[in-house]
mmCIF file of all heavy atoms in Angstrom:
data_model
loop_
_atom_site.group_PDB
_atom_site.id
_atom_site.type_symbol
_atom_site.label_atom_id
_atom_site.label_comp_id
_atom_site.label_asym_id
_atom_site.label_seq_id
_atom_site.Cartn_x
_atom_site.Cartn_y
_atom_site.Cartn_z
ATOM 1 N N ARG A 9 6.480 5.250 16.446
ATOM 2 C CA ARG A 9 6.717 5.930 15.153
ATOM 3 C C ARG A 9 7.012 4.987 14.019
ATOM 4 O O ARG A 9 6.552 5.171 12.900
ATOM 5 C CB ARG A 9 7.906 6.915 15.343
ATOM 6 C CG ARG A 9 8.152 7.772 14.089
ATOM 7 C CD ARG A 9 9.351 8.718 14.321
ATOM 8 N NE ARG A 9 9.590 9.535 13.182
ATOM 9 C CZ ARG A 9 9.001 10.686 12.889
ATOM 10 N NH1 ARG A 9 8.078 11.120 13.742
ATOM 11 N NH2 ARG A 9 9.308 11.401 11.819
ATOM 12 N N LEU A 10 7.792 3.968 14.308
ATOM 13 C CA LEU A 10 8.181 3.026 13.251
ATOM 14 C C LEU A 10 6.955 2.189 12.808
ATOM 15 O O LEU A 10 6.867 1.802 11.600
ATOM 16 C CB LEU A 10 9.281 2.136 13.711
ATOM 17 C CG LEU A 10 10.604 2.873 14.059
ATOM 18 C CD1 LEU A 10 11.698 1.915 14.346
ATOM 19 C CD2 LEU A 10 10.974 3.817 12.973
ATOM 20 N N VAL A 11 6.052 1.861 13.727
ATOM 21 C CA VAL A 11 4.801 1.200 13.306
ATOM 22 C C VAL A 11 4.041 2.094 12.343
ATOM 23 O O VAL A 11 3.504 1.617 11.360
ATOM 24 C CB VAL A 11 3.962 0.858 14.573
ATOM 25 C CG1 VAL A 11 2.626 0.258 14.148
ATOM 26 C CG2 VAL A 11 4.705 -0.029 15.492
ATOM 27 N N HIS A 12 3.960 3.371 12.692
ATOM 28 C CA HIS A 12 3.281 4.351 11.834
ATOM 29 C C HIS A 12 3.896 4.383 10.423
ATOM 30 O O HIS A 12 3.165 4.329 9.386
ATOM 31 C CB HIS A 12 3.344 5.706 12.445
ATOM 32 C CG HIS A 12 2.731 6.809 11.680
ATOM 33 N ND1 HIS A 12 1.366 7.026 11.631
ATOM 34 C CD2 HIS A 12 3.267 7.764 10.861
ATOM 35 C CE1 HIS A 12 1.079 8.026 10.858
ATOM 36 N NE2 HIS A 12 2.222 8.516 10.362
ATOM 37 N N VAL A 13 5.209 4.349 10.381
ATOM 38 C CA VAL A 13 5.911 4.411 9.081
ATOM 39 C C VAL A 13 5.636 3.131 8.268
ATOM 40 O O VAL A 13 5.357 3.193 7.089
ATOM 41 C CB VAL A 13 7.390 4.643 9.302
ATOM 42 C CG1 VAL A 13 8.159 4.507 7.981
ATOM 43 C CG2 VAL A 13 7.658 6.002 9.906
ATOM 44 N N VAL A 14 5.809 2.007 8.861
ATOM 45 C CA VAL A 14 5.626 0.729 8.170
ATOM 46 C C VAL A 14 4.179 0.590 7.672
ATOM 47 O O VAL A 14 3.947 0.138 6.531
ATOM 48 C CB VAL A 14 5.940 -0.435 9.125
ATOM 49 C CG1 VAL A 14 5.507 -1.772 8.536
ATOM 50 C CG2 VAL A 14 7.447 -0.464 9.363
ATOM 51 N N LEU A 15 3.192 1.012 8.450
ATOM 52 C CA LEU A 15 1.821 0.904 7.991
ATOM 53 C C LEU A 15 1.546 1.905 6.894
ATOM 54 O O LEU A 15 0.710 1.645 5.964
ATOM 55 C CB LEU A 15 0.868 1.190 9.177
ATOM 56 C CG LEU A 15 0.835 0.070 10.255
ATOM 57 C CD1 LEU A 15 -0.074 0.452 11.389
ATOM 58 C CD2 LEU A 15 0.411 -1.270 9.665
ATOM 59 N N GLY A 16 2.245 3.022 6.904
ATOM 60 C CA GLY A 16 2.130 3.990 5.773
ATOM 61 C C GLY A 16 2.622 3.396 4.493
ATOM 62 O O GLY A 16 2.015 3.519 3.401
ATOM 63 N N TYR A 17 3.784 2.737 4.568
ATOM 64 C CA TYR A 17 4.346 2.059 3.351
ATOM 65 C C TYR A 17 3.408 0.969 2.911
ATOM 66 O O TYR A 17 3.265 0.698 1.719
ATOM 67 C CB TYR A 17 5.755 1.555 3.683
ATOM 68 C CG TYR A 17 6.845 2.561 3.713
ATOM 69 C CD1 TYR A 17 7.749 2.588 4.715
ATOM 70 C CD2 TYR A 17 6.934 3.511 2.697
ATOM 71 C CE1 TYR A 17 8.790 3.577 4.765
ATOM 72 C CE2 TYR A 17 7.915 4.491 2.748
ATOM 73 C CZ TYR A 17 8.819 4.536 3.754
ATOM 74 O OH TYR A 17 9.835 5.437 3.799
ATOM 75 N N THR A 18 2.798 0.258 3.877
ATOM 76 C CA THR A 18 1.871 -0.814 3.514
ATOM 77 C C THR A 18 0.672 -0.248 2.730
ATOM 78 O O THR A 18 0.235 -0.838 1.719
ATOM 79 C CB THR A 18 1.349 -1.491 4.793
ATOM 80 O OG1 THR A 18 2.465 -1.996 5.538
ATOM 81 C CG2 THR A 18 0.420 -2.651 4.443
ATOM 82 N N MET A 19 0.139 0.900 3.154
ATOM 83 C CA MET A 19 -0.953 1.532 2.415
ATOM 84 C C MET A 19 -0.541 1.888 0.980
ATOM 85 O O MET A 19 -1.282 1.700 0.042
ATOM 86 C CB MET A 19 -1.389 2.786 3.132
ATOM 87 C CG MET A 19 -2.157 2.558 4.449
ATOM 88 S SD MET A 19 -2.577 4.119 5.285
ATOM 89 C CE MET A 19 -3.617 4.906 4.021
ATOM 90 N N ALA A 20 0.688 2.363 0.824
ATOM 91 C CA ALA A 20 1.153 2.698 -0.494
ATOM 92 C C ALA A 20 1.282 1.453 -1.394
ATOM 93 O O ALA A 20 0.902 1.450 -2.571
ATOM 94 C CB ALA A 20 2.552 3.416 -0.405
ATOM 95 N N GLY A 21 1.829 0.398 -0.763
ATOM 96 C CA GLY A 21 1.986 -0.856 -1.533
ATOM 97 C C GLY A 21 0.605 -1.446 -1.940
ATOM 98 O O GLY A 21 0.442 -1.926 -3.028
ATOM 99 N N LEU A 22 -0.332 -1.352 -0.988
ATOM 100 C CA LEU A 22 -1.683 -1.879 -1.290
ATOM 101 C C LEU A 22 -2.366 -1.036 -2.380
ATOM 102 O O LEU A 22 -3.073 -1.615 -3.202
ATOM 103 C CB LEU A 22 -2.524 -1.852 -0.016
ATOM 104 C CG LEU A 22 -2.199 -2.919 1.040
ATOM 105 C CD1 LEU A 22 -2.934 -2.625 2.330
ATOM 106 C CD2 LEU A 22 -2.568 -4.313 0.551
ATOM 107 N N LEU A 23 -2.123 0.252 -2.356
ATOM 108 C CA LEU A 23 -2.753 1.078 -3.389
ATOM 109 C C LEU A 23 -2.127 0.704 -4.788
ATOM 110 O O LEU A 23 -2.868 0.628 -5.765
ATOM 111 C CB LEU A 23 -2.473 2.539 -3.103
ATOM 112 C CG LEU A 23 -2.973 3.529 -4.158
ATOM 113 C CD1 LEU A 23 -4.484 3.468 -4.323
ATOM 114 C CD2 LEU A 23 -2.506 4.934 -3.920
ATOM 115 N N GLY A 24 -0.813 0.482 -4.788
ATOM 116 C CA GLY A 24 -0.203 0.070 -6.072
ATOM 117 C C GLY A 24 -0.792 -1.238 -6.563
ATOM 118 O O GLY A 24 -1.011 -1.391 -7.750
ATOM 119 N N TRP A 25 -0.985 -2.186 -5.648
ATOM 120 C CA TRP A 25 -1.556 -3.469 -6.027
ATOM 121 C C TRP A 25 -3.013 -3.273 -6.572
ATOM 122 O O TRP A 25 -3.374 -3.867 -7.560
ATOM 123 C CB TRP A 25 -1.590 -4.427 -4.829
ATOM 124 C CG TRP A 25 -2.248 -5.734 -5.167
ATOM 125 C CD1 TRP A 25 -1.594 -6.837 -5.640
ATOM 126 C CD2 TRP A 25 -3.604 -6.082 -5.074
ATOM 127 N NE1 TRP A 25 -2.489 -7.829 -5.877
ATOM 128 C CE2 TRP A 25 -3.709 -7.407 -5.558
ATOM 129 C CE3 TRP A 25 -4.761 -5.385 -4.703
ATOM 130 C CZ2 TRP A 25 -4.963 -8.062 -5.580
ATOM 131 C CZ3 TRP A 25 -5.956 -6.053 -4.724
ATOM 132 C CH2 TRP A 25 -6.077 -7.395 -5.170
ATOM 133 N N ARG A 26 -3.781 -2.419 -5.902
ATOM 134 C CA ARG A 26 -5.157 -2.192 -6.318
ATOM 135 C C ARG A 26 -5.228 -1.525 -7.733
ATOM 136 O O ARG A 26 -6.110 -1.885 -8.509
ATOM 137 C CB ARG A 26 -5.918 -1.330 -5.317
ATOM 138 C CG ARG A 26 -7.363 -1.141 -5.639
ATOM 139 C CD ARG A 26 -8.101 -2.476 -5.655
ATOM 140 N NE ARG A 26 -9.479 -2.375 -6.048
ATOM 141 C CZ ARG A 26 -9.947 -2.405 -7.256
ATOM 142 N NH1 ARG A 26 -9.095 -2.564 -8.304
ATOM 143 N NH2 ARG A 26 -11.218 -2.304 -7.572
ATOM 144 N N VAL A 27 -4.328 -0.602 -7.975
ATOM 145 C CA VAL A 27 -4.283 0.022 -9.308
ATOM 146 C C VAL A 27 -3.915 -1.048 -10.352
ATOM 147 O O VAL A 27 -4.586 -1.115 -11.429
ATOM 148 C CB VAL A 27 -3.284 1.169 -9.302
ATOM 149 C CG1 VAL A 27 -3.052 1.681 -10.748
ATOM 150 C CG2 VAL A 27 -3.760 2.315 -8.421
ATOM 151 N N LEU A 28 -2.962 -1.862 -10.052
ATOM 152 C CA LEU A 28 -2.606 -2.944 -11.025
ATOM 153 C C LEU A 28 -3.710 -3.905 -11.241
ATOM 154 O O LEU A 28 -4.041 -4.286 -12.376
ATOM 155 C CB LEU A 28 -1.318 -3.651 -10.508
ATOM 156 C CG LEU A 28 -0.827 -4.810 -11.440
ATOM 157 C CD1 LEU A 28 -0.393 -4.226 -12.753
ATOM 158 C CD2 LEU A 28 0.351 -5.530 -10.734
ATOM 159 N N TYR A 29 -4.384 -4.272 -10.142
ATOM 160 C CA TYR A 29 -5.524 -5.175 -10.227
ATOM 161 C C TYR A 29 -6.676 -4.562 -10.989
ATOM 162 O O TYR A 29 -7.400 -5.235 -11.739
ATOM 163 C CB TYR A 29 -6.002 -5.600 -8.831
ATOM 164 C CG TYR A 29 -6.927 -6.795 -8.807
ATOM 165 C CD1 TYR A 29 -6.653 -7.979 -9.488
ATOM 166 C CD2 TYR A 29 -8.077 -6.741 -7.989
ATOM 167 C CE1 TYR A 29 -7.517 -9.019 -9.442
ATOM 168 C CE2 TYR A 29 -8.933 -7.813 -7.908
ATOM 169 C CZ TYR A 29 -8.650 -8.985 -8.659
ATOM 170 O OH TYR A 29 -9.500 -10.045 -8.585
ATOM 171 N N GLY A 30 -6.822 -3.265 -10.817
ATOM 172 C CA GLY A 30 -7.852 -2.499 -11.511
ATOM 173 C C GLY A 30 -7.585 -2.327 -12.987
ATOM 174 O O GLY A 30 -8.507 -1.934 -13.741
ATOM 175 N N LEU A 31 -6.385 -2.539 -13.418
ATOM 176 C CA LEU A 31 -6.019 -2.390 -14.826
ATOM 177 C C LEU A 31 -6.008 -3.729 -15.581
ATOM 178 O O LEU A 31 -6.420 -3.765 -16.744
ATOM 179 C CB LEU A 31 -4.606 -1.786 -14.945
ATOM 180 C CG LEU A 31 -4.470 -0.326 -14.475
ATOM 181 C CD1 LEU A 31 -3.042 0.153 -14.560
ATOM 182 C CD2 LEU A 31 -5.389 0.618 -15.300
ATOM 183 N N VAL A 32 -5.638 -4.804 -14.886
ATOM 184 C CA VAL A 32 -5.515 -6.087 -15.600
ATOM 185 C C VAL A 32 -6.427 -7.176 -15.004
ATOM 186 O O VAL A 32 -6.449 -8.287 -15.499
ATOM 187 C CB VAL A 32 -4.024 -6.577 -15.567
ATOM 188 C CG1 VAL A 32 -3.116 -5.616 -16.199
ATOM 189 C CG2 VAL A 32 -3.570 -6.883 -14.116
#
């Protein structure tokens, strides 16, 4: 379960980075 949670947070962080990279 905790692996699942950590990887979910990782996806959210990666999406945030991609949005920022896509803006600047």
Side-chain angles (χ1 to χ4, degrees):
R9 184 179 181 87
L10 300 187
V11 177
H12 179 79
V13 172
V14 169
L15 292 178
Y17 285 133
T18 304
M19 289 177 60
L22 286 170
L23 177 65
W25 179 89
R26 184 62 183 90
V27 170
L28 181 62
Y29 194 48
L31 294 175
V32 301

